[in-house]
Structures are given as C-alpha cells and as structure tokens.
Amino acid sequence: MTELREGDILDGRYRIGPRIARGGMSAVYRAEDTRLGRTVAAKVMDPRFHDDEAFRVRFEREARAVARMTDESLVNVYDQGTDPQGHVFLIMELVDGGTLRELLRERGPMPPHAATAVLRPVLRALSLAHSRQMVHRDIKPENVLISDVGGRVKLADFGLVRAAADASVTSNSVIVGTVGYLSPEQVTGGAVTPASDVYSVGVLLFELLTGSTPFSGDTSLSIALQRLEKDVPAPGSVIDGVPPEFDDLVAIACARAPEDRFPSAAEFLEELDNVAKELSLPPFQVPAPVQSAAHRAAESATAVTNEGDWSLQTPDPVNETQVEGLFPVEPYRGETTLEPMPDRARWDDADEEVVVEEPERREAKKDVPGRNRTRTGFALWLVIAILATMGIGLGSWWLGSGRYGDVPSITGMSQAQAYQALTDAGFEPEVGETYSDDHPVRTAAGSEPVAGERAVRGNPVTILMSLGQPTVPAAPPDRSAERYSQLLSERTLTEEVGDAEFSETVPAGAVVNTDPPAGTTVSTGSLVTVILSKGPAPVEVPRVVGLSESDGTDLLKRVGLQVREVTREFDADAAEDEIIAVSPEEGEDMERDGEVVLTVNNGIAVPNVSGRSQSEAESRLREAGITIREVRVDPESTRSAGTVERTNISRDSTVDPDNPEVILYVSARVNVPNVLGSSISDAREALEDVGLELEITGNASEGDTVITQSPFPGRAAQEGDTVTVRGI
C-alpha cells in the first residue's frame, strides 16, 4: 500500500487535494466529496500502521465518539472506513482558519476576555462528552480549531477518547506527544476521569493567559514528573494583569488530587461564566490565525486582515461564503442535529453510505423545430417522466429518511417477542446479555442501539437479555487478583482492595476472600472489597536454649523453621550437646521456612563413677577421654574404704575438650581387721597396713597373743584411728 497523492480517489468517492498537516500516525488532506460536491478534510492513517489494530481502533473510536454528539463546538466526522487499497480514513468537516497553537504563536498571551471566549466552547464540547461518560484525554492547543467564519471555536481529535470507566491507563504516545497538558493521574497510569480533562483545560487556560505551559524541562519525563511534586503556579505570578479570580480558576482546575478539582467540564464552565459576569468581561470574537497551515494549503483562501493586538472585537454576522481551511464547515446558521453516523465496521459495501443528494435542477426541454410529436409519443414520454419522477422520489426517500428507522422499545419482552419486534421494524436482531437490577432474568433489559435511536434498516440491533442482578464471583482457581478484577468488571461490579490477610494456603498477592462473600447477590455497580493474601503468617522463634541439639532441631522444624548452621562452644555449666544460644533470638518473628543458627555446647560429659572402686573409676574416665589430674581423700565420705566418692565436676556438667582433666575423690574409711589370736607384733603389722595404729593395754609384750581388740573386727574406722588390744 502506497501513500496517497494529490488527485487520488479515496474509497471511490473522495478526491485527494493538497496535504494540510502531518502527524506521527496520520496525514490530513483537503479533499472533495465527489458525491455531495463539498470540500472536506480527509484524515488518513499512515501506511506504516496498516496492520496495527490499536491505531485502527483509534480511528473508529474517534468516528463513533463524535457521531454520537452534536454541538457547534465540535468538529463533525462524516465518514470512516477502509478503502479497497487498505487506506484507513476519517472524513471530517473542513474548519476554515487554523489552530489555537498557531494563533498563540502569532499573537502571544491573551487578556482574560479573549481567553474566556476560547475556553467557553472547549468546555461546552467537553461537557457534552462528560455527560456521555467519555473522557477526551488529549486537550491541547493543536486540537482547538478556530474558523474564519464567525470566529467559531471547535474541539477536535477524539482519537484518544475513552469511556470514563475504561480510561485507566495512559498510553505512551500521549505522554510523549502532549506531556505539557497531562494530569498527574495520566502520568502515573491511574484512573482517568472527567477531572483529568479539567486539569488539562486548566493548563490550557494558564497558557492562554501567560503564553507558556506551567512546567518545562530537558526531557518529557522530567516535565511529566514535575506535576506530581509541584502545583501549577498562579498565572498572575507569571504575567501582570491577570485577575485573582482567574488565578483561582487555574488553582482549582489544576489541583493535584482529582477530588479537589471541578468534577467535570460543566462545573468548570459554570464557574467561568460566574467569573466573567463578576468581572463584566465584554463579548469577544476569536480571530482565526492568519499564517495558518490551512491558509497556506488552500488555493483560494480568503485573505484575513484581522491582525493586531487583542483589542475588543464585536462578533460579525455569519459569513454566508465558506472559506475552505483546515477542518471545515459549511456556513453556520444555528445548532443543527446530525444523524448518528452508521457503524462502518459492519459495512463491507462502500456504496451503502448515507448520501443526501441536492435537488436536481432540470431545464425544460424546448421543442426542436421540425420535430413531429404524435399523441402516442407524447403519452409515452409522459408515462416515462412520471415513472422517473416516482423513481427519483422513492430513491430520494430511500436515501433520505426511508433508509432509516427508529429502534423500537423492547424492554420487558421475551427474547422471541423482542426478536419479532426488531424484525418487523426492519432490523437484524442479535442477542447479547446484560446484568440488570430492574428486569427479571430472560427478559429484554434494552437494546443497542437504544430505543428511539435512528439506525439504518437492515443493520444489526442487539437484544440485551437480562441476567438479573449479578452475584459476587468466586476467585479463579489460581486466585489471580488481575483475573478477579476482570470477573468483577464483567459483572458490572467495582473493586476496592481491603486490608491484606495472612494465609497458609494462598500465595502473597492472590485473592483470599471478598466482602460480600462469593455467591452473594448484589446490585449492579456494587462495590466489592477484595482481600489479598500476605502469604503465611510470620513464625516466632521458639524456646530451644537448654534442649539437646536433636530436640531443638525437631522443634524448629515443627514450627516451620530450618537450621542453617550449628556452631560449637564450651560451656561448663551446660550438658553435652545442649543448645546454649540461637540466632535470631527466641521470640523474634521470621518468615516461614526461615533459617536460624544454633550454638551447641561441645564439652565432654563426665561419667558418674561415685561408689565405684578407684581402679574401676579410673578406667571409665579414661574411656570417656578424660584424664585424672589428682586423687584426693574425702574425709567426710561414708563409703567403704577405697571407694570413689565423687569428682570435682558436678553432675550434668562438662569438661573443656581442650583440657579434659578431673580430680578424683575417694573414701578415707577402712574396715578394722580381725587381729584376735594373732601375736601383738602381727596385729600391729596388719593394722598399719590399713592405716590404723595399735595400742596395748596392760603388760603384754610383742610375742603375747591378742585376746581382745577394740573396735571389734569389721567395724568402720578412719585412717589413723587407734585399735586397742590386750594380750597374754
């Protein structure tokens, strides 16, 4: 597909003339409608974007948006479609004159009465759009056109218009192209509402009064970000002579928070009129720019000599002569009502366009000298003339009003009844569904187009069958928050995100619950609070100090924590393998499956050798890896002589593995041996062997025989005690 050239015929109907303007995605040409014989503007999408569905949708959206609105402050769209060569186009009225941008370049800042004259029709056009729940999203001087005819101001380019409920994301192309007029929510990608257009008009008013936009910078991004951090300054702080009332208008319109602005263009317009009345601003006719692109492109442009300053100008009567220019119209004679433009997307035959023919003027034929007309010939001619006249009349009726019909009201009907009513009215019924608070299930809740709207006979009309009131949907299997938002929107429900909750089973960011609960029947448009998951609740580090390493590890696993590392240190007061510290500390919150570090006692446990013989005790200590530094007598021990009483390490304590020594305490008690019948010298030797001393009573000698002893044999005695004997 090639680019159009002057003289080409677009869609078999529009003869392309000189190019008026060129943008990033389209070009605008002067063109002639060869059917109606009038000059129009043809906006044709650049061939580079032929396969880009988004751009094609933008063209169709612009046509639909303007076709549904009628006001002298709007640039009308007459036609939209794609010709056989693949050119996507809009046909618009040709507004003679130029753009507000060109006017500002020629004349500079405006006084308040001139700015008011420009702003009124802009706000009026936006009020109409806002009343139909549409947001323009691209207010700027380039989209405000001024006609040579009566100085009429018109708002153009509805290519970015969106339904207010759907305009939540700002496209990158808008940020790059019109960054100076974006609202803060358009910069951040927030919800775009009529208040967003109000902000852009506030910036436009600032520029009209001062000659520049409020923010500047080296890059588009830096300019865009400034409006998130700064308020638009008062115009009076930039240029002298601005009344405080206009400073207040700009301040309210350009408030950073949408709720602090005028809620729509209608409220802005009402306040502007109040200020104009309060200041007694005079009426003013806005002059069209002289050196405009339209004037340069028009071969027969009417010279405009309205040069000079912004002095007061009295509006002239409407000029009956059309001056062709950028986007233009035929002479304005008051508000007119246009039929909504048919949906070109449903027409494959370009010949099915609405054509309003001018009455054909015919000159009566004069008799040719010498021609003989018989009565029969005249009668035949008369019949043919009558039939032709009837054919022309019927054709005119069909091309005019006969082709259209009013969509009948089908509300409350059954599907079969509604189908029959639309068929009888000449339309092609289709069936759709919609939620409704007022109409029972399986009855018609309305139609699209709506009842009473005129539409081309034979075109589809959708029967909107009621689904009744919506129910709150259940979360999808994957509990996706994004998918759930779509489910709510499909049921007309609006969404509010509530406080997130912990969940052991639902991953973070996914839908846990809703209020009202899933399955609840609610009114259309109801608010549903969506509860998202914060993931599993945090885990508190349990008390593990004092437990063995194995018991502490098992406890940590039960509560959902893992042991990342075990370090070992000596603690004489702790048992072997006892946990002596944990990090993070006990009682701190951690994410589930978090990791902790344990510190475990590496001391060697001393075996219990109390009550064992000294030799047996020494053997067991050596087996445990412990050496005996010293053996001491425990004088207070009541155990048998030679029995181990204790070690110097208390029970459940450990010794340092780097110095594993203990002191062994043994009992000092001995059993008195039986020395009766022995010689005194033998008795002395036996007693000394166990640490006892011999004492003789009487006159016995070493060779005498022991006949008595005290203490008696087998009695316990301490080492060093005396045993008294008597001998004969």
Side-chain angles (χ1 to χ4, degrees), residues 466-486:
S466 173
L467 296 171
Q469 290 185 304
T471 58
V472 178
D478 62 355
R479 295 189 170 269
S480 164
E482 181 178 358
R483 174 60 184 146
Y484 193 70
S485 297
Q486 295 175 353

Side-chain angles (χ1 to χ4, degrees), residues 137 162-170 185 189-192:
R137 302 199 307 160
R162 289 286 179 88
D166 299 331
S168 60
V169 179
T170 303
E185 59 269 24
V192 180

Side-chain angles (χ1 to χ4, degrees), residues 138-460:
D138 196 17
I139 303 299
K140 57 184 177 181
E142 290 82 352
N143 288 339
V144 178
L145 308 179
I146 304 165
S147 174
D148 286 332
V149 182
R152 280 175 288 161
V153 177
K154 290 176 172 282
L155 182 61
D157 200 347
F158 276 70
L160 296 180
V161 70
R162 289 286 179 88
D166 299 331
S168 60
V169 179
T170 303
S171 70
N172 292 335
S173 62
V174 178
I175 291 178
V176 173
T178 58
V179 67
Y181 306 88
L182 293 178
S183 63
E185 59 269 24
Q186 286 174 282
V187 174
T188 60
V192 180
T193 67
S196 305
D197 282 348
V198 167
Y199 185 99
S200 299
V201 177
V203 173
L204 180 63
L205 177 57
F206 181 98
E207 185 175 15
L208 295 178
L209 296 170
T210 66
S212 63
T213 54
F215 302 110
S216 61
D218 296 330
T219 65
S220 297
L221 180 60
S222 66
I223 296 172
L225 294 179
Q226 287 182 65
R227 67 203 60 230
L228 304 180
E229 304 169 353
K230 300 178 182 178
D231 292 324
V232 172
S237 67
V238 177
I239 192 170
D240 294 332
V242 177
E245 290 82 355
F246 276 77
D247 288 343
D248 293 340
L249 285 175
V250 172
I252 297 173
C254 295
R256 278 187 272 176
E259 60 269 21
D260 295 333
R261 305 175 202 147
F262 301 113
S264 70
E267 285 80 1
F268 195 175
L269 178 58
E270 181 180 357
E271 189 59 29
L272 177 66
D273 287 337
N274 292 338
V275 168
K277 183 177 180 180
E278 180 180 350
L279 298 177
S280 301
L281 298 181
F284 181 78
Q285 177 176 298
V286 181
V290 177
Q291 301 299 324
S292 67
H295 288 158
R296 292 193 300 269
E299 294 179 358
S300 60
T302 300
V304 179
T305 58
N306 191 21
E307 300 180 21
D309 59 7
W310 290 104
S311 57
L312 299 181
Q313 302 178 43
T314 303
D316 295 328
V318 175
N319 187 348
E320 294 294 329
T321 303
Q322 178 177 349
V323 182
E324 297 174 1
L326 180 55
F327 288 105
V329 290
E330 298 173 4
Y332 172 72
R333 299 179 178 83
E335 181 173 341
T336 59
T337 301
L338 298 179
E339 298 293 349
M341 191 183 71
D343 186 355
R344 275 301 291 266
R346 295 177 182 171
W347 296 358
D348 295 324
D349 186 356
D351 292 331
E352 288 189 346
E353 299 195 60
V354 178
V355 180
V356 180
E357 298 279 351
E358 290 290 334
E360 191 173 282
R361 297 180 180 178
R362 291 180 173 83
E363 187 175 346
K365 293 184 179 180
K366 298 180 181 179
D367 289 338
V368 180
R371 186 177 211 173
N372 295 321
R373 296 182 178 175
T374 65
R375 292 177 178 269
T376 303
F378 178 78
L380 180 60
W381 176 87
L382 183 61
V383 170
I384 294 172
I386 291 173
L387 291 175
T389 301
M390 291 177 62
I392 292 172
L394 289 172
S396 298
W397 174 82
W398 173 247
L399 293 174
S401 62
R403 190 182 186 189
Y404 288 90
D406 292 335
V407 176
S409 175
I410 58 173
T411 302
M413 295 182 180
S414 68
Q415 181 174 324
Q417 291 170 333
Y419 201 95
Q420 187 62 49
L422 291 173
T423 301
D424 292 344
F427 299 106
E428 184 68 29
E430 293 182 349
V431 179
E433 295 178 328
T434 185
Y435 290 96
S436 173
D437 296 331
D438 304 320
H439 301 92
V441 178
R442 293 187 295 280
T443 63
S447 63
E448 178 60 40
V450 298
E453 186 171 322
R454 289 178 62 78
V456 176
R457 299 180 191 276
N459 270 14

